[in-house]
Amino acid sequence: MDSSQIRHFDYIFTGTGLAALMTVYKMILTEKFSDKSILLLDQDSKKRNDRTWCFWEKEDSIWNPIISKKWDLALFANQDFKRDLELEPYTYNKISGLDFYNFIFERILNQPNVTFSNEKVTDINELETHVFVGTEENRYTGNYLFNSIYTKAFAESQNKYPVLQQHFVGWFVKTEKEIFNSEKVTFMDFSVEQKGNTRFMYVLPASTTEALVEYTLFSEKRLSTEEYESEIQVYLEKLGIQKYEIQEKEQGSIPMTCYPFWNKNTKRVLNIGTAGGWTKASTGYTFKNSDKKSSELVDFLQNENFKMKDFHKRSRFWFYDLLLLDILYRHNELGSSIFSSLFRNGNRRLIFKFLDEETSFFEDVKVILKCPKIPFIKALFRVIFLSNKINQNQ
């Protein structure tokens, strides 16, 4: 292809997942990037309802127009106890994937400086003065590239950092009888058989007869689809649901790891989203972390002399996540007891604040002390040894 036919952009986003779309949307809201050309590339046209995002927050945000349901009450349960959690001052919020995509694209595709192209990225090559991007149809160059295409081999081909998956299958069901409490989300129900893993049910009721019922595991390997669906059937029967219609299904697998994806960032390429370590490693929650990180990135890009490799700052919460993942990787069966200890006696407001990484160090200690002591002490020594080893190699 003639080089004159290669289109050039200021910013190129490879992959248009949550992180990329949030970032571009916020760039537009600032009105400070109108002189910058932006290209988004993705082989997925984003016209399917392919996922559900949930997050807790205290106040309304820019996402409020697309929140389809809010809950003020949550249930935590295991085989021995149940606890209703009054979430105030938080609400637990649900956004459907398609609603999010439509909301974002309606705004960004009306911008003359933003281009979306439904193409599969095949090649990324960083040069001294620009980044080259190849797709199956075209060639592009950009000043800077933001990549959210996840390469699982980066994390899974090493053994310094544990790698688990939050994997799940969910059914959107409509029941014949009124069964669900539409005002209460089932946050984690560990009463299901654990089978040597960390397994729980997650229920998002839209009404008394409609809910997303999801069978979720924090473990190393995925199951067959039949195993997830069999457990959902058993759980529905346990709730007393005999007749129901499956309206939709969803499934997914979210990597849970403290692997430092940001070490792959370069002069002109920044990894974002799951590919950049934006997913909350200990829980798999993505929406809130991406919301925060995308805002930080938009602010960062407004600095005249920004350097891409300076964007990421590792916090103490990364260390806490590493402790929990170390335990669950070695003793996956301990998940139920760890989360149960936390939610049985812990301050619910403080727990959510901690999971949002907004607590002080003193508050961190109060939360961590609710967890089983011996596994965390053992993990602490292993992680300190690992950290020293990593620092010596840097």
Side-chain angles (χ1 to χ4, degrees), residues 287-351:
F287 195 92
K288 193 67 174 284
N289 250 31
S290 292
D291 197 11
K292 287 184 175 182
K293 288 288 187 182
S294 58
S295 293
E296 290 172 15
L297 179 55
V298 172
D299 290 341
F300 177 80
L301 294 175
Q302 293 176 57
N303 297 324
E304 283 188 25
N305 300 313
F306 71 82
K307 294 181 180 179
M308 299 280 260
K309 294 199 77 169
D310 292 341
F311 175 69
H312 181 80
K313 297 290 188 291
R314 195 166 72 184
S315 73
R316 68 184 186 277
F317 294 97
W318 173 89
F319 184 82
Y320 303 151
D321 287 347
L322 185 56
L323 286 178
L324 179 60
L325 289 177
D326 181 85
I327 295 169
L328 295 182
Y329 185 76
R330 296 169 185 273
H331 300 285
N332 198 232
E333 73 282 359
L334 293 180
S336 176
S337 63
I338 291 171
F339 286 103
S340 295
S341 298
L342 198 59
F343 282 99
R344 183 192 292 265
N345 301 312
N347 181 313
R348 57 193 178 280
R349 297 182 184 89
L350 194 56
I351 293 169

Side-chain angles (χ1 to χ4, degrees), residues 206-272:
S207 69
T208 55
T209 59
E210 297 169 297
L212 168 62
V213 181
E214 203 163 84
Y215 184 58
T216 305
L217 290 82
F218 294 172
S219 65
E220 194 175 354
K221 295 180 181 178
R222 299 181 68 171
L223 310 177
S224 67
T225 302
E226 293 73 24
E227 289 181 87
Y228 299 98
E229 296 196 329
S230 174
E231 292 294 336
I232 295 173
Q233 287 177 312
V234 170
Y235 189 74
L236 290 174
E237 289 173 8
K238 191 172 78 170
L239 293 178
I241 300 172
Q242 301 297 327
K243 294 183 179 181
Y244 56 89
E245 174 190 344
I246 303 171
Q247 297 182 312
E248 282 184 61
K249 294 183 180 182
E250 73 172 29
Q251 61 181 349
S253 184
I254 302 167
M256 301 172 68
T257 180
C258 286
Y259 176 79
F261 292 99
W262 47 87
N263 287 344
K264 302 291 182 181
N265 297 341
T266 62
K267 180 181 176 182
R268 296 188 177 276
V269 177
L270 182 71
N271 293 291
I272 64 175

Side-chain angles (χ1 to χ4, degrees), residues 109-306:
L109 293 185
N110 286 324
Q111 304 299 311
N113 63 319
V114 179
T115 302
F116 172 75
S117 191
N118 190 195
E119 302 177 52
K120 181 179 180 179
V121 174
T122 57
D123 185 32
I124 296 174
N125 187 18
E126 181 176 359
L127 304 174
E128 181 60 30
T129 57
H130 62 273
V131 180
F132 171 88
V133 180
T135 72
E136 291 179 338
E137 295 87 8
N138 293 296
R139 304 289 181 266
Y140 304 96
T141 58
N143 293 339
Y144 297 99
L145 183 139
F146 303 91
N147 174 61
S148 58
I149 299 173
Y150 180 69
T151 304
K152 70 176 187 176
F154 289 158
E156 295 184 9
S157 62
Q158 54 79 47
N159 54 22
K160 284 184 180 179
Y161 301 91
V163 181
L164 297 176
Q165 300 291 323
Q166 180 187 146
H167 48 112
F168 55 88
V169 167
W171 286 357
F172 292 88
V173 299
K174 183 174 179 61
T175 62
E176 189 176 83
K177 296 180 180 179
E178 295 187 348
I179 293 289
F180 304 107
N181 181 346
S182 61
E183 303 307 313
K184 180 165 64 176
V185 59
T186 299
F187 190 56
M188 286 178 156
D189 185 349
F190 284 100
S191 65
V192 297
E193 193 175 347
Q194 295 298 289
K195 302 180 182 180
N197 296 128
T198 298
R199 305 183 179 215
F200 59 92
M201 300 300 299
Y202 177 61
V203 183
L204 299 176
S207 69
T208 55
T209 59
E210 297 169 297
L212 168 62
V213 181
E214 203 163 84
Y215 184 58
T216 305
L217 290 82
F218 294 172
S219 65
E220 194 175 354
K221 295 180 181 178
R222 299 181 68 171
L223 310 177
S224 67
T225 302
E226 293 73 24
E227 289 181 87
Y228 299 98
E229 296 196 329
S230 174
E231 292 294 336
I232 295 173
Q233 287 177 312
V234 170
Y235 189 74
L236 290 174
E237 289 173 8
K238 191 172 78 170
L239 293 178
I241 300 172
Q242 301 297 327
K243 294 183 179 181
Y244 56 89
E245 174 190 344
I246 303 171
Q247 297 182 312
E248 282 184 61
K249 294 183 180 182
E250 73 172 29
Q251 61 181 349
S253 184
I254 302 167
M256 301 172 68
T257 180
C258 286
Y259 176 79
F261 292 99
W262 47 87
N263 287 344
K264 302 291 182 181
N265 297 341
T266 62
K267 180 181 176 182
R268 296 188 177 276
V269 177
L270 182 71
N271 293 291
I272 64 175
T274 300
W278 286 18
T279 298
K280 177 69 174 168
S282 59
T283 63
Y285 273 93
T286 304
F287 195 92
K288 193 67 174 284
N289 250 31
S290 292
D291 197 11
K292 287 184 175 182
K293 288 288 187 182
S294 58
S295 293
E296 290 172 15
L297 179 55
V298 172
D299 290 341
F300 177 80
L301 294 175
Q302 293 176 57
N303 297 324
E304 283 188 25
N305 300 313
F306 71 82

Side-chain angles (χ1 to χ4, degrees), residues 41 43 224 326 352:
L41 294 169
Q43 64 179 328
S224 67
D326 181 85
F352 288 122

